[in-house]
Amino acid sequence: MQNITGADIEQQTKSEPVISACNINHYFGEGELRKQALFDIDLSINAGEIVIMTGPSGSGKTTLLTLMGGLRSAQSGSLKILGQEICGATKKQLTQLRQKIGYIFQAHNLLTFLTAKQNVRMSLELHDDYLDKDMNKIATEILQQVGLGERVDYYPDSLSGGQKQRVAIARALVSHPKIVLADEPTAALDKKSGRDVVEMMQVLAKEQDCTILLVTHDNRILDIADRIVYMEDGRLVSDGSVNASEKVQ
Ligand SMILES: Nc1ncnc2c1ncn2[C@@H]1O[C@H](COP(=O)(O)OP(=O)(O)OP(=O)(O)O)[C@@H](O)[C@H]1O
């Protein structure tokens, strides 16, 4: 895999899917303990799409999400992320790819000794493009966008679960990644906070033309998706667009 530049990404996302999985099979363990977790997965996701992946526990959702996020190496088939083949990629190549992707997890994973603004700023510091910019201003602006303008200097321990997750969204989206991967982002939240958090994610992603791939068991948020893919026993068993009439705007 070659180094990916901003111009490459721009070109690739216009001409082909941002994520394209073809015939992906994935195994855990060795020898007698070897177990297949994913079977013949084909999935293409376009720029700006919000795709929700759902299905029973153990059906392979997180495994697929981690492959698509370059968090583990794909073993067989073809997996192109932002135009680059990552099947068989080295650790270094996966690290490079990960800088182009935003991640949001069930546990917000904020650093508790940094304020909300410092947590968001840290994500910018990983990108050379931002080093000569006013990172405090950029971090503050995105925190204002997620409704935390009054809380920029708060530490995570003094924020509610929903507020912490909004900081995590700001952190994931502040560098304008082309892809955001979210694993059960509402699992630890009550109904209203969960709803607020995904709506915020939806608004920011649409503004930035960012693709979101979100794994959830939370049926209350399915309507934010453009497409819902359903997994069962390691297979992708349905993949359907959500009609405009089914969506709550
Ligand atoms: N690191 C691992 N080592 C061995 N087996 C694993 C590992 N991670 C996942 N598995 C197995 O792979 C299968 C798919 O797991 P995965 O976590 O992807 O499912 P999931 O749909 O995300 O489940 P959940 O909704 O409970 O998070 C399961 O049978 C699981 O036990």
Side-chain angles (χ1 to χ4, degrees):
M1 192 176 80
Q2 299 157 349
N3 287 355
I4 313 169
T5 66
D8 290 338
I9 292 170
E10 188 91 345
Q11 182 54 39
Q12 281 146 3
T13 50
K14 278 183 184 149
S15 52
E16 53 182 289
V18 289
I19 299 176
S20 177
C22 187
N23 205 20
I24 293 284
N25 289 282
H26 196 83
Y27 304 83
F28 287 110
E30 303 277 324
E32 281 181 15
L33 296 176
R34 185 168 145 105
K35 182 175 170 245
Q36 188 161 1
L38 295 177
F39 296 80
D40 303 325
I41 303 286
D42 289 321
L43 182 63
S44 276
I45 301 178
N46 294 322
E49 262 194 307
I50 298 182
V51 178
I52 286 188
M53 204 190 311
T54 188
S57 186
S59 57
K61 305 179 295 296
T62 298
T63 305
L64 185 55
L65 192 81
T66 53
L67 287 176
M68 292 182 160
L71 297 172
R72 62 171 93 242
S73 192
Q75 297 164 338
S76 78
S78 164
L79 179 56
K80 283 191 175 175
I81 310 287
L82 299 169
Q84 302 290 315
E85 177 61 58
I86 65 151
C87 191
T90 62
K91 278 189 179 163
K92 185 168 173 228
Q93 290 165 336
L94 292 178
T95 306
Q96 270 178 5
L97 174 72
R98 289 199 285 264
Q99 292 186 349
K100 318 279 175 206
I101 298 177
Y103 302 91
I104 300 166
F105 299 102
Q106 173 177 345
H108 49 79
N109 295 327
L110 299 178
L111 295 173
T112 52
F113 54 88
L114 297 180
T115 64
K117 184 169 67 187
Q118 289 166 336
N119 267 284
V120 174
R121 194 195 138 107
M122 217 183 72
S123 164
L124 286 175
E125 286 167 2
L126 299 173
H127 295 86
D128 293 346
D129 304 355
Y130 287 95
L131 294 180
D132 59 352
K133 303 232 163 65
D134 187 344
M135 291 190 274
N136 283 333
K137 182 164 171 264
I138 298 170
T140 302
E141 280 168 1
I142 196 157
L143 284 166
Q144 284 164 347
Q145 276 185 281
V146 298
L148 293 176
E150 309 289 309
R151 301 267 193 285
V152 293
D153 294 321
Y154 280 48
Y155 287 89
D157 286 346
S158 20
L159 297 172
S160 71
Q163 289 169 339
K164 281 187 256 211
Q165 202 55 308
R166 283 194 259 160
V167 178
I169 289 171
R171 182 185 55 180
L173 281 147
V174 69
S175 59
H176 291 235
K178 285 287 158 204
I179 302 173
V180 165
L181 300 178
D183 198 358
E184 299 277 7
T186 62
L189 304 179
D190 61 57
K191 182 177 175 187
K192 165 126 187 16
S193 312
R195 184 82 220 166
D196 287 351
V197 156
V198 288
E199 282 178 1
M200 237 150 236
M201 208 189 291
Q202 183 187 32
V203 169
L204 279 181
K206 291 290 172 195
E207 258 177 43
Q208 299 185 6
D209 198 27
C210 169
T211 302
I212 293 193
L213 180 59
L214 187 157
V215 165
T216 191
H217 284 112
D218 187 349
N219 290 334
R220 300 171 304 197
I221 62 167
L222 295 183
D223 61 281
I224 69 145
D226 299 314
R227 226 167 108 194
I228 297 174
V229 301
Y230 184 79
M231 291 197 63
E232 219 171 73
D233 298 331
R235 294 174 198 275
L236 211 158
V237 293
S238 85
D239 178 359
S241 300
V242 180
N243 293 330
S245 59
E246 293 172 65
K247 292 185 63 145
V248 177
Q249 296 296 333

